[in-house]
Structures are given as C-alpha cells and as structure tokens.
Amino acid sequence: MKITVGLCLFVLVCSTGVFAQSVVGSGAVTGIVRDQYGDGLPETKVVLSNAALGINRTITTTDDGVFDVPMLPPNGEYKLQATRTGFANWESNKFDVSIGQTVYFQIDMKAEEPATQVEAGRALMPVDNNRTGVSTLVTRTQLESLPFASRRLDSPVLLAPAVTVDPTTKALVFRGVPLPNAFLADGILTTNQYDPGRPGLANQLAPDAVSEMQVAVSGQPAEFDHSAGGIVNAATRTGGNGFHGDAYGYYGSSSWSAVDRFALGQKLFDKQTEGGASVGGPIMHDKLFFFLNADVLTGSFHDLNRITSPLITDNGSTIPTANCKSTVVACTAAINLILPQMNVAAALSQRFTSGVARVDYRRSDRNTFSAEGNAMNSRLPIQANINAVAPNGGLLGLNNSTEDTRFGKGSWLHTFFNGGINELRGGYVNDRFTDPMSTANLSTGALGLQVAGATVGAARPDAGSLEERRYQVIDTFNWTSYSHSLKMGFEYVENRDSINDLPNPFGSYTYPSITGLATDIVGNNQRNYTYYNQSLGISARSFRLKEKHAFAQDTWKVARYLTVTGGLNWEKTTIPQPVNISPTYYQTGTIASRNLNFAPRISAALQPNDRTVLRIGFGWFYSPYQGALIDALLLGNGVDQTSISASPFMTNAPVFPKSVASITAVPAGQQNIYYGASKFRNPFTQQANVALERRLTRDTALTINLMNSRGYKLYTASDLNLNGATITETYTIDNAAGAAVNTFNTLVWTNRADTNHQHVYQIENGGSSWYNGVAVQLRKQMGRDLSVQLSYTYSHSIDDVGGTPILPGVPSNMLPGDYISDKGNSAADQRHRGVLNWVWTPTILKSDNPAARILVNGWQFSGIATIASPQSVNPIVILSGQQFTGITLAYLNSLNGSGGWNRVPFDAVNAIRLSNQYNVNARFGKIFSFTEHVRASFAFEVYNALNNQYTTGANNIAFVATAGVLKPVANVGVANASAAYPYGSTARRAQISVRLEF
C-alpha cells in the first residue's frame, strides 16, 4: 500500500511522460517551432491538412513554441504548414500518420527568404522518440499482401515480438503468461470479458475492413487499460474525397494440400473460399464520407478422433487385452466401448460472415462526428479448430458453435480552444455464443467419461449459451500549454452477462485405467473410478459488472533532446453480490472488490542525435475481473446451482453409469463450495522496458528492447476443507524393467474438516509470474518497392500457476497453500522466437510501355518466416486406487491425497519439451495496372511451405501409481499432436487469390 501511494504521488509531482501520445485508435502529430537561435516561437500558426480525408486543423503554438494535433485517423496524405509574421512560410512534404504513432516535427523558421521553405530530409526513416513500451505496427499493405492462413486478425498479431500461442488452448499469449488480452476497434473494447481466453481474439473484423493495427506488447501509456496481457489496437478504414474500393476472392483446395502428420495418411483440409468487397468515398465533398465492407469466409475440413494413451493402446489402432487386468467378459465390454471411438473421422464446416459500415462527418474545423457499425456471424466447431487431430478424444459428435457479434460506435471530436481538444466516444457490443451438445450417439449417452487421460464419453455433454452486452462511454481531453501536453479522460463500462449453462449435467466419471472401467461395467455396485463430477440446479442466470476508469497524463518536453511522461490510471469494478448464502459458509455472501487500483506509469525518451533514441518506461497494469470467475463465485454457495465431487470410497458415491437425479438428492459430503477471500482483488503486472533505437541507414532502423514483467496477485485456490497432513508415506520408484531405483517421500492428506462438504475452495491471489526478455526489431522501408520487418525475441517465462483449472482462470496446486512449490517454466514459455515478414514489388524497368507494365514490372513476392524453439507440457502421474495399507487418501487423483495438481512432484514443471518450429508462408503474385487508379492482382499463396508440422502435444503420462509403487509409462514424451489450423496450417496447403482495386 505504501509503495502504491508513494509511486502515485511521485508521478503526480513529476508530471512527466512520453510527449503527445496519440489517442487509442488514432495517431497524432506534434512538434516545436523554433527561431534561428533555437528558441521556441509562440503565436505561430500551424495548419495540418489532409486533402484526401477533408481534414484541416489550425492551431497556434504555445509560449514555448509547442504544438500538438491528436486524434488523427491513420492515413498517408498529411501535410503540415507553419506561418508567422517576420519569418518565411514553412511546409512539409506528404507524410504518414499511423495508429498509435506520434509524428514529431522540429520546425526551424528562417528569415523571409525564400518566401516558402519546403521540409527536407523526410525521406530518411526517423527514429521514434515518442513511443512507449514495445509495440509493432501492422500496416494495410501487410494486411493485404502477406499470406495469412486464417484470414482473421489473430494471425497478424504474431508478427510482434514477445507473442506466442498457448500449445493447449491455442490462445494468444503475451510475455509468456496467459493473462486476458484486449482488442480495441477504433478505441472501443470489443473483447468478450466473460471468457477472454477463448480462441479468436478478433474474429468480428475481416482484415480488409482494417486500415492498420498496433500490437502493444508491453509498457503502454496511461490511457490503455482493460488488460494486464497484451492490447491490439485497430483502426477501421475510412472514406475520403476520392472514391476507392476493391473486390477480392480466395480459394484453396484439398488437392493442393499435404497429408496431416498424425492423421494416418489422410488430408484433413477440404477447401476454403473467401470473398468480399469494400467501397468508400464522399457523400459531400470535404464534409461527409462513407466506407463499407462485406466479407464471407466458408470452409470444410475433417477432424480425426484418436486415442493414443499408452495405458489403453500400444499403436493407436488396437487395444491389447494385456492392458486390461479384469475378467475376459469385463475387458471385452470395455474394449468394445472404446474401440469404435478410435481413428474416427468426421466432416465439419465453418463460416464467417462480417460487415462494416462507417460514416465520418467533418462539420467544421472544430467539430467532427463519426459513426460505425459492425456485424459478424460465425459457425465453427471450436474444439475441432483447436485440434484437427485429437490425440486422446474429445472430437466425436461436435456441432458448430455459433458466435454473433454486433458492434456500434459513435464519436464527437471538438476543439474548445487553441490546444484544447476533446473526444467523446460511445460504444455498444453484443456478443452471443452458443455451444451445442455433442451428438456422438455413444453407448454411454451424454455421460462424460475419461479413461487413462483419454475422453471416451461425450465430448460436449451439455449445451450452453452466453450473451454479453457492453455499454461503454469514454471522454478524453487534450490540452497543450508551454512545453507540456496534458491528457486526461474518464471511462464507464457496463458488462451485462446472461448465461444459460449447466456444465456436466449428466455426470462424468474419471478412471485411471481400462481395468477399472471394465470392472465397473460388469460389476455389481463396483466403484473403481478416481472421482466423479456433476453440476446440478438452475442453468439460466445473469449479472452486471460496472467498471470506472480515470487517467491523467502529462508529457513534458524538457529539452529538444529529452521528453518525459508521467501518468496515473485508476479503475474500480462494482461486482454484484450473491443473493443466497450457504448456511454453513457465510463467506459465500460477499465478493470483495478493491477500491485502490491505482496504476502509475512513467517513461522518458533521450535523443542525443537524429539517428539514436533511448527510451525507458515503467508501469502497472491491472487485469479485469473475468466474468466466468465472478459467475462461479456467485454460484459458489451451492444453493441455486452446485457442483458435486465424489470419491469411490464415499458413502452413497455413484455407481457407473448412474448420476445424481437432482440438486435436492445430492448425498451428504459431495457438494463443493467456492468463495472469494476477504481481500480478493485483480491480478496485476509491473512492466519495465528499456529500448535503444538506431537508424542504421536512410531506410533501416534497429530497435533493441529489454523487457521485464512481474505478475502479482494471480488467482489461486486453497482447499480449506483439508485437515493438516500429519502422516508421511514413501513411494517406491521403479524403472522400465520393474526394478526399484529410488523412493519419494511425501506428506499425505487423509481426511476433511467438514464431512458434509467435499472441497471448500477459497479463491485467493497467491500466484506470481516472472518474465525477462530481449526483443530485437528491424524495419526497412525502400519506398513502395520493399518493406521488411524482423522481430526476434529471447525470453524466459516462469510462473507458479500452471496447474489444472479448478475454476476459469484459477489453477490447482500440488501442495495445499504452497504455490511456490509449483514454480517453473510457463506452458507458453518459448526461449527463442523469430518472425521475418517482407513485401517486395520490384520496379525492374523504369518505363511505362505496355511490355514493361505487363511482363516485367508488377510482380510481387511476400512471405512470413517463423523460427522458434520448443514449448513444453507437464508430466503427470495417475493413481490407481488407494496406495498404502491402513490409511485412506482423501482424494485419489494426486500422490499426496490433496486432490490438487497431479504433476510428477520430483520432476520439473513442464519438463517435456515439444519440437522446434519452422514455418514459411509464401505469396507470389502479379499486379496489372490498367490506369493510375485501377489495377488487378493475382496471387498464389502457400502456407507451411516447408510442411514442417511441429509438435504441439505429447504423451505426458509419466507414471502410474499402484499400491505405493510408481511405475514408468512407456513412450512418455512421444509426440501425438501438431500445430492446428488456423494459426499455422497443420499441413502444407495453398490457395489462389484475385483482387480488383479502384
């Protein structure tokens, strides 16, 4: 607390930071006008214009000669003019303003000869003395010309440094730890806050509807919030004074694809088509503009349901009878249940339909209004898009999940007075998910069934739906005075979540082996499973989360070579409180929400010359409350909806395949309770960055970034229903030949404090994460002929929250209350990752004759090459029954009986390394220019051209514990899954494309 208050006071007193940062969703132009002696010139008239967009803003420099023009839409047609009595007029060449970028000008006014001086030297690539943190710009040229396999906006995010993909969930991960990320469309948050970890960060916009994207990896200014992970800041395209548009189409066929690595010789990709068109232009010249985009993507493919667990099968195709130690009749019944689910292919399809409409009204130089809307409908089997080949089940009978998104935004930009500009934004987002029940027609019906790490029951045993409606109002004010640029703002967000979901309503059995399943199938009142889970009660409910954010930031141009910025962000979330309270646990009646979420941010930029800049920065970033976790805590009292767990030795424990009939019939001792700690709060990260940027040549700049990110107060859970462990037991560790080679001693938990309940979890903030990285960014821009970007990251990510989830975003741990014992490499840790992308359109002959235009010039070569080191998975141990004579372990899923994470305790966290990643997407095309404004292009794109299907999964069952003996499992670490579509085509495939532009 003292540290927080001290940092906040320090920031407010210093009033420092990065000069004239652009507003979220836009760019900015800033600078200083000086006389021949180097002193700032006040009362200088500065006019920023853009004839294409109808922009014409006039401002007057401050007493220190400073000017600032924020809130500019990204475009490459800006010009700047400066006039003052007694001095020659000054004007610039045309220049670009990009999203998240602040373009800085140092204007030296001269005597009145010549009458007008034109800026010189803008052809040089400038160093960026206004950026904070680590970020990457993705331009419209890259969005249109680079070969992205998914044709969604998630793929371009991977061009940035310090971004990886979680090997299990396929969600984007920034800085190694899977904290929620945020996607902003024109300054409005569009990310689903109920389930932010769901794959697909930005499905609602097609790439052709986006002008530019800024991928903010670390250390952003005070205006950015809603995420302790990463932020993707996108600007939609706009209209202008000239009509422009394009129509495009893509087609990919199975005949151009390769065989998938684990698909038993099959090609899983069938075909994919995409078509769309965009048009924009004036409704009233210089006043009213429009832009429209429509896009439809359809595809068909297969998935393959496999079972490769070495405890069930030895080759992935048959089940040896030797793996089942029950009777012949029982083993036959179990084998006949599992065998029909092995190596089963199913035909699936997907469809994305999206549209964007935008209108901009520039009523005057002082007032600009804009309105836009977006609609997206998708039909997609989510699980099949995570694993096209499931190594251990979970794909049978999947139906298309649906997502319908509606987005609307209105804004008003008003200039109050010279140097004082205000933008008011309002946004509405409606996001609806529907996940249907699987229809595999298994003999077990809708019953969930896990055997030896494989899903052999219903993949999706319940139907669920979610609708999230978000109302957002943001007001941002900019004021430039003397050498300071002050920015302040306030934001109000209201999330309304309506859920209709009852997870696992028919019950789920987990067995350690096929032997246990076989015995229970034919047995009478036999219970040889590890544990049983089920949810009961109501399914429909709703709640609201109300968020308030306020920020202030001052940018001080201390000297022409030094810029300093200080900012402070405050946020508060109002959380609904439970209506009902558990009669036993009064803590279930309250969910705490912290009031003092202050996030100070400070940075500085030192530019000793026009070729070099040194940037440093530090800031705090809070993670928003995840709606799914709040939902679980609202239901944690077990009154309206309850989750139950049963161990096989409990009185009235279910017998396979039976389930509990209703919430009123739950046997004593099986109900779980969840509640938040009295100091329950948001997780947050502290991020520090040091960057050295150097212009190497006229068109090449190199940036070296040092990054440090510490995660604090990450969610954890403590089972308060476990009595303290007082018994120590010893496991014998065998080798592959069955000989004892070592032992392992551990405390064991044997009983519960409250026998009327099962788990009583208190959700706490005991977790931490550590990230250190070096990111190298190289950018080269040779006019319109060649653009090259390279990002390389060397990093190490560590955390102590890698356990299997208890609730959404809340991991289990191996030792109750001892989180540091689980400290190890993060699942998404990737030591080396390099991404090179290029677009080359060479001008071979400098001639405009038809032969040159048609045959020689106009060829385009582009590509994305990714080289990365392996990620990892965690080795686990499976218990088969009680382990020691005379004691009863409280739970049978972990060696110590605590019911926590079943990782191998004497091995490192995430010790099983996968494989190196090598991937090349290449594009070869031809551009035909018919007139100055009309052209057509044709291209052939190849994804995963090297057909390197790198490993994203491996057999991680390392040991089976039986009667106190740990027996090693064969083939541990052997690969069983490769990269899944859409982030990297699981096998090489290709498509053709055509585009007509005017």
Side-chain angles (χ1 to χ4, degrees):
M1 178 64 186
K2 292 181 179 179
I3 295 176
T4 304
V5 173
L7 284 171
C8 296
L9 291 175
F10 173 75
V11 169
L12 291 175
V13 170
C14 291
S15 296
T16 58
V18 174
F19 188 70
Q21 283 297 315
S22 57
V23 177
V24 172
S26 62
V29 173
T30 189
I32 185 171
V33 179
R34 306 186 308 173
D35 61 17
Q36 61 268 36
Y37 306 107
D39 297 326
L41 270 177
E43 302 300 324
T44 302
K45 181 181 177 181
V46 177
V47 179
L48 178 73
S49 61
N50 188 314
L53 299 181
I55 293 175
N56 196 72
R57 294 194 197 174
T58 301
I59 55 176
T60 303
T61 58
T62 68
D63 289 348
D64 288 342
V66 172
F67 66 92
D68 185 17
V69 191
M71 306 174 187
L72 298 172
N75 192 264
E77 298 291 322
Y78 285 97
K79 292 190 68 174
L80 196 66
Q81 294 178 317
T83 59
R84 193 182 194 281
T85 303
F87 292 85
N89 296 339
W90 182 96
E91 68 179 43
S92 73
N93 297 314
K94 289 183 179 180
F95 60 91
D96 291 334
V97 174
S98 297
I99 186 172
Q101 178 190 28
T102 300
V103 182
Y104 178 74
F105 284 88
Q106 180 177 294
I107 301 175
D108 295 316
M109 303 289 281
K110 298 180 181 179
E112 287 199 14
E113 289 189 10
T116 299
Q117 56 184 104
V118 179
E119 171 199 27
R122 293 297 294 180
L124 296 176
M125 177 176 286
V127 291
D128 192 345
N129 64 347
N130 298 289
R131 190 200 312 180
T132 59
V134 181
S135 63
T136 291
L137 175 68
V138 182
T139 66
R140 181 179 167 187
T141 298
Q142 290 173 298
L143 291 172
E144 290 183 349
S145 302
L146 289 177
F148 297 115
S150 71
R151 290 290 297 163
R152 313 312 295 173
L153 291 178
D154 290 52
S155 295
V157 174
L158 291 168
L159 300 180
V163 183
T164 58
V165 177
D166 188 292
T168 302
T169 66
K170 302 302 184 291
L172 293 173
V173 178
F174 291 70
R175 305 186 314 280
V177 178
L179 293 168
N181 306 313
F183 182 84
L184 305 174
D186 293 318
I188 298 296
L189 176 69
T190 64
T191 307
N192 189 291
Q193 297 289 281
Y194 184 89
D195 186 9
R198 194 181 181 105
L201 179 65
N203 286 331
Q204 73 271 19
L205 292 175
D208 289 271
V210 174
S211 174
E212 291 180 341
M213 286 171 47
Q214 178 194 23
V215 183
V217 174
S218 175
Q220 299 311 302
E223 187 181 4
F224 285 82
D225 50 23
H226 298 299
S227 176
I231 297 174
V232 179
N233 183 20
T236 56
R237 291 169 59 182
T238 63
N241 276 324
F243 284 100
H244 58 86
D246 51 24
Y248 51 89
Y250 296 82
Y251 175 75
S253 170
S254 174
S255 59
W256 305 334
S257 65
V259 172
D260 291 76
R261 178 180 174 187
F262 294 100
L264 304 178
Q266 301 179 53
K267 292 182 179 181
L268 298 182
F269 175 77
D270 292 336
K271 67 176 181 178
Q272 179 174 296
T273 62
E274 181 180 9
S278 302
V279 62
I283 301 174
M284 296 173 56
H285 192 78
D286 277 345
K287 290 289 184 182
L288 188 61
F289 313 97
F290 77 96
F291 173 78
L292 299 171
N293 171 264
D295 187 278
V296 178
L297 183 150
T298 62
S300 60
F301 56 98
H302 286 73
D303 66 18
L304 185 63
N305 195 79
R306 300 196 65 197
I307 294 177
T308 62
S309 170
L311 301 181
I312 297 176
T313 176
D314 57 357
N315 58 13
S317 298
T318 60
I319 302 177
T321 56
N323 286 349
C324 183
K325 302 298 192 295
S326 189
T327 65
V328 174
V329 173
C331 288
T332 300
I335 291 173
N336 289 340
L337 173 67
I338 299 174
L339 198 58
Q341 303 180 41
M342 297 174 60
N343 306 325
V344 179
L348 299 169
S349 64
Q350 63 176 346
R351 180 182 179 89
F352 286 91
T353 304
S354 64
V356 174
R358 173 169 175 163
V359 175
D360 295 278
Y361 176 40
R362 311 199 193 285
R363 185 176 183 275
S364 66
D365 291 348
R366 297 173 62 89
N367 292 285
T368 298
F369 302 88
S370 69
E372 64 182 281
N374 162 239
M376 185 277 291
N377 300 320
S378 78
R379 304 292 181 267
L380 174 72
I382 294 295
Q383 286 302 120
N385 223 31
I386 294 176
N387 282 309
V389 178
N392 280 301
L395 293 183
L396 286 182
L398 289 179
N399 294 296
N400 276 345
S401 301
T402 66
E403 181 180 2
D404 299 319
T405 301
R406 303 293 183 265
F407 161 66
K409 177 208 170 184
S411 66
W412 173 30
L413 184 65
H414 177 66
T415 302
F416 286 99
F417 48 80
N418 183 61
I421 302 177
N422 188 82
E423 184 182 38
L424 177 64
R425 305 192 299 270
Y428 169 74
V429 178
N430 187 304
D431 199 18
R432 288 176 292 174
F433 285 127
T434 301
D435 286 329
M437 181 183 296
S438 59
T439 53
N441 298 318
L442 302 176
S443 60
T444 50
L447 183 73
L449 182 59
Q450 295 274 331
V451 181
T455 298
V456 297
R460 173 78 188 183
D462 63 299
S465 66
L466 161 70
E467 180 178 15
E468 179 167 272
R469 290 175 291 167
R470 178 180 303 113
Y471 303 88
Q472 190 172 4
V473 178
I474 309 167
D475 190 77
T476 305
F477 178 71
N478 287 257
W479 179 31
T480 304
S481 178
Y482 292 93
S483 296
H484 293 265
S485 180
L486 177 68
K487 182 188 297 183
M488 61 185 67
F490 179 81
E491 177 183 14
Y492 174 79
V493 181
E494 182 173 311
N495 285 314
R496 301 181 182 180
D497 289 319
S498 299
I499 308 101
N500 193 336
D501 187 20
L502 185 63
N504 201 15
F506 305 102
S508 174
Y509 288 87
T510 298
Y511 282 90
S513 65
I514 191 173
T515 302
L517 173 63
T519 304
D520 283 5
I521 286 178
V522 301
N524 181 21
N525 205 30
Q526 294 290 313
R527 299 181 180 92
N528 291 280
Y529 52 85
T530 302
Y531 55 87
Y532 171 85
N533 290 323
Q534 189 179 356
S535 293
L536 299 158
I538 66 170
S539 59
R541 67 271 187 195
S542 62
F543 63 91
R544 299 184 183 184
L545 291 178
K546 300 177 181 180
E547 303 175 20
K548 302 179 183 70
H549 303 264
F551 78 93
Q553 178 176 290
D554 180 42
T555 301
W556 180 22
K557 193 71 173 178
V558 181
R560 62 183 180 180
Y561 55 84
L562 179 61
T563 305
V564 186
T565 296
L568 182 64
N569 187 306
W570 170 81
E571 50 190 78
K572 165 66 180 177
T573 302
T574 301
I575 299 176
Q577 300 301 301
V579 176
N580 298 307
I581 303 175
S582 166
T584 308
Y585 295 94
Y586 70 90
Q587 301 95 324
T588 59
T590 304
I591 304 176
S593 175
R594 182 175 166 84
N595 295 315
L596 299 177
N597 279 353
F598 288 100
R601 301 176 195 179
I602 185 169
S603 56
L606 176 66
Q607 186 175 3
N609 55 60
D610 63 352
R611 299 171 63 93
T612 308
V613 63
L614 175 67
R615 300 187 294 263
I616 59 174
F618 174 80
W620 290 17
F621 297 80
Y622 283 93
S623 182
Y625 289 105
Q626 185 174 339
L629 176 56
I630 300 301
D631 185 28
L633 293 178
L634 289 171
L635 297 172
N637 49 58
V639 177
D640 294 322
Q641 185 182 112
T642 188
S643 71
I644 66 173
S645 300
S647 296
F649 51 82
M650 294 179 62
T651 303
N652 296 322
V655 176
F656 181 85
K658 297 180 180 178
S659 60
V660 178
S662 68
I663 194 171
T664 59
V666 175
Q670 296 184 19
Q671 185 184 57
N672 299 315
I673 296 292
Y674 307 91
Y675 58 81
S678 59
K679 294 185 178 180
F680 179 72
R681 58 174 296 178
N682 310 67
F684 67 95
T685 59
Q686 290 182 0
Q687 301 172 23
N689 304 277
V690 178
L692 178 66
E693 184 173 344
R694 174 75 174 177
R695 177 165 54 82
L696 303 178
T697 66
R698 293 177 60 88
D699 52 28
T700 306
L702 176 69
T703 306
I704 301 175
N705 305 278
L706 304 180
M707 298 175 289
N708 172 267
S709 180
R710 280 283 281 113
Y712 294 93
K713 306 298 181 181
L714 304 184
Y715 292 130
T716 52
S718 180
D719 190 350
L720 302 185
N721 202 27
L722 285 172
N723 280 329
T726 59
I727 301 173
T728 300
E729 290 290 349
T730 300
Y731 283 91
T732 300
I733 303 175
D734 284 357
N735 61 15
V741 294
N742 211 334
T743 59
F744 171 71
N745 299 322
T746 180
L747 286 168
V748 294
W749 279 259
T750 58
N751 54 70
R752 294 167 289 150
D754 177 9
T755 56
N756 291 319
H757 291 87
Q758 185 78 311
H759 298 285
V760 179
Y761 285 115
Q762 178 174 271
I763 308 305
E764 303 169 340
N765 296 94
S768 301
S769 66
W770 299 261
Y771 178 87
N772 291 287
V774 178
V776 178
Q777 295 171 279
L778 180 71
R779 54 194 174 106
K780 183 179 183 65
Q781 183 70 52
M782 294 180 60
R784 297 185 178 181
D785 287 353
L786 175 65
S787 66
V788 177
Q789 285 189 1
L790 169 67
S791 70
Y792 165 74
T793 307
Y794 170 72
S795 63
H796 190 191
S797 176
I798 299 172
D799 65 57
D800 54 16
V801 289
T804 52
I806 294 173
L807 294 176
V810 182
S812 59
N813 60 294
M814 184 182 66
L815 297 175
D818 183 7
Y819 312 117
I820 200 66
S821 296
D822 293 328
K823 183 177 179 180
N825 294 333
S826 302
D829 176 52
Q830 196 164 46
R831 301 299 171 84
H832 302 273
R833 183 177 178 85
V835 181
L836 172 69
N837 72 87
W838 69 92
V839 179
W840 184 33
T841 311
T843 302
I844 300 173
L845 291 180
K846 294 183 178 180
S847 172
D848 197 38
N849 64 67
R853 285 190 291 108
I854 297 174
L855 299 178
V856 181
N857 295 332
W859 297 98
Q860 187 179 77
F861 309 88
S862 64
I864 305 171
T866 303
I867 301 177
S869 56
Q871 294 176 295
S872 307
V873 294
N874 196 72
I876 63 172
V877 59
I878 290 181
L879 272 71
S880 181
Q882 291 290 349
Q883 299 297 307
F884 305 103
T885 303
I887 66 169
T888 301
L889 298 180
Y891 300 100
L892 297 181
N893 64 324
S894 57
L895 287 178
N896 56 23
S898 68
W901 194 10
N902 63 331
R903 70 178 185 86
V904 177
F906 44 83
D907 208 344
V909 174
N910 289 313
I912 299 175
R913 289 170 64 83
L914 301 176
S915 70
N916 292 317
Q917 302 177 12
Y918 306 99
N919 190 78
V920 176
N921 293 350
R923 185 177 190 268
F924 174 74
K926 180 69 173 71
I927 301 171
F928 297 93
S929 298
F930 303 111
T931 68
E932 183 180 355
H933 301 290
V934 179
R935 66 177 190 172
S937 61
F938 301 87
F940 182 71
E941 301 179 351
V942 182
Y943 308 115
N944 193 9
L946 302 178
N947 201 28
N948 176 257
Q949 301 176 46
Y950 57 85
T951 302
T952 57
N955 172 37
N956 67 333
I957 303 175
F959 291 94
V960 172
T962 305
V965 178
L966 292 172
K967 300 180 181 296
V969 176
N971 299 324
V972 62
V974 173
N976 58 20
S978 63
Y981 178 84
Y983 292 108
S985 176
T986 187
R988 180 178 55 239
R989 66 184 184 88
Q991 70 178 20
I992 57 174
S993 68
V994 60
R995 181 181 296 269
L996 176 65
E997 301 177 68
F998 66 91

